[in-house]
Amino acid sequence: MTPLETLIRTRIAVDGPIPVSEYMALALGHPDHGYYMNGSPFGADGDFITSPEISQVFGELIGLWAAVTWQQMGSPEKTVLIECGPGRGTLMTDLLRAAEDVPVFARTIEIHLVETSKTLRNIQAGTLSCINPVWHDSIETVPPGPTILIANEFIDALPIRQVTREHTGWSERCVGLTDDTLQFMPGSAYEDPAGTPIDAITGEVYEFRPAATAFVDELSARLATHPGAALIIDYGYERQSPGDTLQAVRDHQFADPLADPGEADLTAHVDFGALRSHGFNSGCHVFGPVNQAAFLRSLGIVQRMTALSENATPEQIETLYSSIQRLIDPGAMGTLFKAMVISHSGAPTPAGFEYHSTSSYRRND
């Protein structure tokens, strides 16, 4: 039994079953025993691998996207570049290397990292030792100014709330003890949250993520006073529907979310529709979501692969090809992962979304 499971069991014994959101927050972010607080889960030697770890081309394309976005913002003299959930600093490293192709832009950048794990902050400090980033627990403390924000696989790790359809209405889905084993179970009654499907079948689970919509609200407030754009890339769906998407990953394999809390990554699919609605209702322009394959192809990932292949060995070409395919193949990350941009009112269509105007939401200025 993990130390965190012992603490969770004690809390349940005192207070009764705890909401899924509380369980997820403890499993990932407990200051002493949370998953992200005590190691580096990223890469081939960790529990999962993210797009920047698959290929440097991913981060380089994001760097070029940021440079184009800066130009669309009017080329401000100072750019607050924020990355939320920077992992090992791999994406930021590749982004900045590509940004050097636009030296004027590179000179304007002030780097701010949103990271709550001290362990990961130390790893990021080593990776980014030459650029002196500033760390924050949330975007609320990032200084004002023209902003470019990157959030790659950040939203999916924010805690979700789950409610279950019962015969008499909705109830909070909780984690409790049955036969001395952690189990999901219904908790107290819960009034229908906004958007919950009225015709849901008894027993169905509905998810929503208050931490994500609060993040978008804070971001939107920032973009209301300064030009900027936020690129959100994650896995999820365009429209909410009933379903339990909470999952655990350990050693690159799916695991039981209730087994060994603190030892496995917990995530859930992102509701891009909810993010889009909050951004739009806050006065921002919202573009997307579009699937990751379409986004990366629009940014020139195939052309970049071809250019890199010209001076590569056959083995290097094979590695390059397989990594790029993993990013854009519909059977891998190409369709499940999606990209969305939230930008200030009046912003033009961002790079990567030129051919997807039907997916954009604009305020009437």
Side-chain angles (χ1 to χ4, degrees), residues 137-158:
D137 288 333
S138 73
I139 62 172
E140 294 180 19
T141 59
V142 179
T147 297
I148 296 175
L149 181 145
I150 310 297
N152 180 64
E153 293 194 56
F154 169 73
I155 301 293
D156 67 271
L158 297 179

Side-chain angles (χ1 to χ4, degrees), residues 22 67 213-214:
E22 183 177 344
T213 50

Side-chain angles (χ1 to χ4, degrees), residues 1 5 20 27 46 66 118-119 133 160 162 165 201 240 267 274 277 282-283 292 316 320 352:
M1 184 181 300
E5 182 171 347
V20 166
K118 292 182 180 179
T119 300
I160 58 166
Q162 291 185 327
R165 183 69 178 181
I201 300 171
Q240 176 63 291
T267 66
S277 295
S282 297
Q292 179 170 282
Q316 290 172 330
L320 177 64

Side-chain angles (χ1 to χ4, degrees), residues 54-55 305 315-329 332:
I54 292 173
S55 174
M305 179 177 63
E315 293 78 10
Q316 290 172 330
I317 293 174
E318 176 60 28
T319 298
L320 177 64
Y321 178 82
S322 63
S323 64
I324 297 302
Q325 283 300 110
R326 185 171 178 181
L327 293 175
I328 64 176
D329 191 287

Side-chain angles (χ1 to χ4, degrees), residues 5 34 42 56 60 84 88 91 93 107 120 132 136 152 159 164 178 199 206 226 284 288 303 309 361:
E5 182 171 347
F42 307 97
Q56 69 180 56
E60 291 171 350
C84 297
R88 298 194 296 192
L91 189 153
T93 299
R107 289 195 293 269
L120 289 177
N132 300 315
H136 305 264
N152 180 64
T164 305
T178 301
D199 59 349
Y206 174 81
H226 298 282
C284 292
Q303 292 84 347
S309 299
Y361 284 69

Side-chain angles (χ1 to χ4, degrees), residues 77-246:
E77 295 181 358
K78 182 185 80 168
T79 307
V80 180
L81 177 59
I82 307 170
E83 184 180 1
C84 297
R88 298 194 296 192
T90 304
L91 189 153
M92 184 58 71
T93 299
D94 296 336
L95 182 158
L96 293 174
R97 183 174 59 253
E100 291 295 333
D101 289 344
V102 188
V104 180
F105 166 58
R107 289 195 293 269
T108 74
I109 295 172
E110 294 181 1
I111 298 173
H112 297 266
L113 305 178
V114 176
E115 178 61 72
T116 58
S117 167
K118 292 182 180 179
T119 300
L120 289 177
R121 285 188 181 193
N122 289 334
I123 295 172
Q124 294 154 14
T127 304
L128 304 170
S129 58
C130 297
I131 59 176
N132 300 315
V134 179
W135 283 269
H136 305 264
D137 288 333
S138 73
I139 62 172
E140 294 180 19
T141 59
V142 179
T147 297
I148 296 175
L149 181 145
I150 310 297
N152 180 64
E153 293 194 56
F154 169 73
I155 301 293
D156 67 271
L158 297 179
I160 58 166
R161 295 189 73 172
Q162 291 185 327
V163 292
T164 305
R165 183 69 178 181
E166 307 290 343
H167 292 291
T168 57
W170 294 94
S171 66
E172 186 91 36
R173 196 180 193 211
C174 293
V175 176
L177 285 169
T178 301
D179 297 328
D180 200 38
T181 303
L182 291 178
Q183 299 283 349
F184 292 112
M185 59 184 58
S188 58
Y190 188 88
E191 295 184 5
D192 291 3
T196 304
I198 297 174
D199 59 349
I201 300 171
T202 299
E204 283 187 323
V205 174
Y206 174 81
E207 299 174 340
F208 56 109
R209 196 179 244 120
T213 50
F215 169 77
V216 171
D217 290 343
E218 180 65 30
L219 172 64
S220 300
R222 182 182 186 89
L223 296 177
T225 56
H226 298 282
L231 174 62
I232 299 171
I233 302 177
D234 225 311
Y235 73 98
Y237 39 78
E238 295 188 32
R239 293 178 180 84
Q240 176 63 291
S241 61
D244 175 11
T245 71
L246 180 66

Side-chain angles (χ1 to χ4, degrees), residues 216 219-220 223 228-230 232 275 279 284-286 340-344:
V216 171
L219 172 64
S220 300
L223 296 177
I232 299 171
L275 304 185
C284 292
H285 285 187
V286 183
M340 170 184 284
V341 167
I342 301 174
S343 61
H344 64 276

